[in-house]
Amino acid sequence: MADAPSDLQTRELELRIEKLQCEIDQMKRPRENSGRLKQWLPVITGLVPVLALLFAVTQFTAAQVAARKQLVRNSVADSIASERAFMRSVLDRQLSTYVEASTAAATLASSKSSTERDKAIDAFWRLYWGPLVMMESPEVSDAMKDIGECLETSGACMESELKKRSLALASALQTDYFSSWKLSPDRYAQRSINYAKTRSAGR
């Protein structure tokens, strides 16, 4: 009669069985994973074009937004360039008119020639009642009025006072001219006195 297996042999046999079971389990797993992959493969395959389409739409939308922003920037730049080109001609005219007004006032304040003074008076009033109104600021207008007060009444201003007012006019003309370079056409017009509205309001 064969000897009964010892506890040690029994334990070894159990370990071998467990090991074999683990190997069998490991062999089964790839098949299970493969089966799961096959199960999800149609879903994954269907998602790839959808994701690609979403990516393409996102890229297209971003490109459209960037293009619209660029168009706006170009439009603003073109508008500013057009305004500056327009204002350049206005500012050139403003400079020549301001220099003419300052020259007339300086002649009145310094010339001893009655002929030159008469010409300067004519030039001053011509600018006062017309061309200067189109471009002067309220400060320039006030400075012109100060000199006009001296001319309206003979002996109203001493020579020294007329010189002071001529210098004040020149400074007002200079300040306004350089300030005008920052203005748009609308703001340039708004800064001037609108005598048409003043006249209508006085009726």
Side-chain angles (χ1 to χ4, degrees):
M1 184 175 177
D3 295 333
S6 64
D7 292 340
L8 181 60
Q9 290 176 337
T10 302
R11 182 58 182 161
E12 287 179 358
L13 183 60
E14 289 176 352
L15 290 174
R16 288 181 181 179
I17 293 172
E18 288 180 5
K19 182 180 179 182
L20 182 60
Q21 186 65 46
C22 288
E23 291 176 352
I24 293 171
D25 291 342
Q26 288 179 355
M27 292 175 66
K28 287 181 178 180
R29 280 180 191 141
R31 294 178 182 177
E32 292 175 358
N33 292 338
S34 176
R36 290 175 183 174
L37 182 61
K38 289 180 180 178
Q39 180 181 358
W40 286 100
L41 189 59
V43 178
I44 295 172
T45 303
L47 281 175
V48 170
V50 174
L51 293 174
L53 179 60
L54 288 174
F55 179 77
V57 170
T58 302
Q59 291 294 96
F60 177 77
T61 303
Q64 290 291 96
V65 170
R68 281 196 295 270
K69 288 182 178 179
Q70 187 60 45
L71 285 174
V72 171
R73 285 193 292 266
N74 291 343
S75 177
V76 171
D78 290 344
S79 177
I80 292 174
S82 297
E83 286 186 354
R84 296 317 302 165
F86 171 78
M87 286 300 297
R88 181 56 188 264
S89 62
V90 173
L91 292 168
D92 287 345
R93 182 62 181 173
Q94 179 184 359
L95 178 60
S96 64
T97 305
Y98 276 15
V99 170
E100 190 178 358
S102 181
T103 300
T107 301
L108 293 171
S110 63
S111 178
K112 304 300 181 183
S113 169
S114 59
T115 301
E116 287 186 357
R117 286 179 59 82
D118 287 342
K119 289 181 179 179
I121 290 173
D122 288 342
F124 178 87
W125 288 120
R126 176 177 56 81
L127 295 169
Y128 184 95
W129 292 113
L132 208 62
V133 175
M134 297 176 64
M135 54 195 68
E136 67 183 0
S137 66
E139 292 76 16
V140 170
S141 177
D142 289 342
M144 289 288 288
K145 288 176 181 177
D146 288 341
I147 294 178
E149 289 173 358
C150 292
L151 299 179
E152 285 177 336
T153 305
S154 179
C157 296
M158 299 290 290
E159 183 180 335
S160 59
E161 179 61 25
L162 189 55
K163 287 179 178 179
K164 289 179 182 178
R165 296 189 182 192
S166 176
L167 291 173
L169 173 62
S171 294
L173 292 168
Q174 180 196 51
T175 300
D176 184 55
Y177 176 72
F178 286 107
S179 297
S180 298
W181 280 85
K182 307 172 186 176
L183 303 179
S184 65
D186 287 341
R187 290 186 61 193
Y188 184 90
Q190 289 169 5
R191 100 204 195 294
S192 302
I193 300 172
N194 191 324
Y195 290 98
K197 288 184 177 180
T198 303
R199 183 170 181 269
S200 298
R203 288 180 177 176

